[in-house]
């Protein structure tokens, strides 16, 4: 592999910044300055940047995060912080994507990966992976809410009724709602269609995966192999 690609794959540098770092003498291969950024390296070579040894990660990466309020699930936003900004110490974050999205104002379980097939399985309408949200409402819930949500409701600007959703009342203003699809702002719009308003929204579960209670808002950890497999086959 070319050295500039190796550097781009193991650090936050783009290929052109990697070339610059080589020219600046910040990169050593087996203790020596390489002739150019196009020099060939492989796993047997020790490559350092500013004295730090770089290692090529093999295979895909999978993380679970407890998304905090105010962060957005995209790679570019000029006004809001990104969930990717929270991935302290994770290199090559530009290759990562979120598995579906949570609104800026929604907290909770967010999966992040660079494995497109795995995330497709989790988000594809074909697989109907359930997602459970805890919602805090502005008004007491209507008595017929369970029935309406179970039948499917028509959202504003969308003639197709929602798929049957399961509602569990915790109190009259706190509920757990499980949905099996992922439309834009779906949970907020479902409660709006019932004449209510979601004040706070938190995702607790996706497929077979429950939000890890050890993760505080803004924290993340790698998924275990068992969790990755269970989500892939759920
Ligand atoms: N439904 C919403 O309204 N917002 C989310 O972030 C997820 C589901």
């Amino acid at each position: 592999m070319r050295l500039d690609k190796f550097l781009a794959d193991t650090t936050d540098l783009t290929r052109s910044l990697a070339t610059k770092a080589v020219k600046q003498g910040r990169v050593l291969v087996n203790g020596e300055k390489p002739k150019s950024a196009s020099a060939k390296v492989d796993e047997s070579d020790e490559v350092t940047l500013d004295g730090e040894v770089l290692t090529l990660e093999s295979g895909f990466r999978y993380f679970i995060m407890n998304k905090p309020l105010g962060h957005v699930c995209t790679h570019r936003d000029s006004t809001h912080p990104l969930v990717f900004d929270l991935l302290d110490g994770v290199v090559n974050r530009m290759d990562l994507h979120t598995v579906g999205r949570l609104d800026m104002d929604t907290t909770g379980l967010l999966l992040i990966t660079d494995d497109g097939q795995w995330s497709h399985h989790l988000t594809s309408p074909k697989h109907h992976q359930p997602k459970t949200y805890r919602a805090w409402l502005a008004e007491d819930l209507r008595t017929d809410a369970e029935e309406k949500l179970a039948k499917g409701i028509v959202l504003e600007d969308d003639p197709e009724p929602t798929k049957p959703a399961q509602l569990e009342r915790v109190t009259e203003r706190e509920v757990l709602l499980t949905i099996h699809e992922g439309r834009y702002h779906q949970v907020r719009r479902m409660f709006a269609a019932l004449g209510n308003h979601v004040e706070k929204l938190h995702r607790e579960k996706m497929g077979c995966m429950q939000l890890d209670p050890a993760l505080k808002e803004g924290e993340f950890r790698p998924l275990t192999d068992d969790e990755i497999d269970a989500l892939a086959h759920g």
Side-chain angles (χ1 to χ4, degrees):
M1 170 189 298
R2 282 172 58 119
L3 179 57
D4 52 358
K5 171 147 174 44
F6 180 94
L7 292 166
D9 284 354
T10 52
T11 69
D12 274 338
L13 297 177
T14 59
R15 273 176 120 162
S16 63
L17 284 175
T19 304
K20 208 165 158 191
V22 172
K23 284 192 185 139
Q24 289 167 334
R26 294 167 58 200
V27 178
L28 298 181
V29 178
N30 303 320
E32 304 205 342
K33 281 190 190 165
K35 286 204 178 77
S36 80
S38 60
K40 293 277 188 288
V41 290
D42 62 33
E43 282 99 73
S44 65
D45 293 311
E46 186 190 77
V47 182
T48 59
L49 173 69
D50 299 330
E52 201 169 309
V53 178
L54 304 175
T55 38
L56 202 54
E57 289 184 36
S58 58
F60 292 118
R61 295 168 298 163
Y62 307 85
F63 303 101
I64 177 172
M65 176 183 280
N66 184 355
K67 180 193 170 293
L69 268 185
H71 284 64
V72 293
C73 292
T74 57
H75 273 289
R76 253 174 250 281
D77 191 298
S78 49
T79 43
H80 304 106
L82 317 178
V83 290
F84 301 102
D85 295 340
L86 300 163
L87 295 175
D88 235 9
V90 172
V91 292
N92 262 342
R93 58 180 234 189
M94 284 308 284
D95 292 347
L96 295 166
H97 60 269
T98 61
V99 179
R101 287 184 180 184
L102 288 178
D103 307 337
M104 185 170 80
D105 297 327
T106 303
T107 58
L109 193 163
L110 185 65
L111 300 173
I112 299 176
T113 185
D114 49 5
D115 183 346
Q117 241 181 325
W118 184 80
S119 58
H120 177 73
H121 172 81
L122 283 163
T123 50
S124 143
K126 218 169 78 191
H127 296 109
H128 305 294
Q129 290 283 354
K131 285 165 284 191
T132 302
Y133 296 84
R134 188 176 293 269
W136 288 266
L137 306 170
E139 312 284 337
D140 284 2
L141 199 62
R142 294 160 49 150
T143 47
D144 61 355
E146 283 87 345
E147 195 189 321
K148 285 209 145 69
L149 291 164
K151 271 195 191 144
I153 49 178
V154 174
L155 307 178
E156 204 176 277
D157 300 330
D158 194 345
E160 179 77 16
T162 53
K163 293 211 165 63
Q166 294 72 48
L167 183 82
E168 194 188 312
R169 285 175 200 242
V170 181
T171 69
E172 289 315 302
R173 292 193 184 193
E174 183 182 338
V175 295
L176 288 167
L177 180 69
T178 301
I179 60 172
H180 304 263
E181 50 192 338
R183 301 192 209 177
Y184 178 69
H185 286 188
Q186 181 162 345
V187 174
R188 294 178 197 276
R189 288 164 71 216
M190 285 169 93
F191 284 107
L194 293 175
N196 214 315
H197 175 74
V198 173
E199 292 194 320
K200 212 168 116 192
L201 189 60
H202 181 77
R203 183 155 66 193
E204 299 203 338
K205 203 169 172 204
M206 194 166 173
C208 58
M209 186 87 204
Q210 194 93 33
L211 180 59
D212 185 338
L215 290 177
K216 298 199 188 78
E217 275 194 23
E219 290 184 344
F220 72 98
R221 67 161 171 82
L223 290 174
T224 65
D225 289 346
D226 285 349
E227 287 169 340
I228 297 162
D229 275 359
L231 282 161
H233 298 109

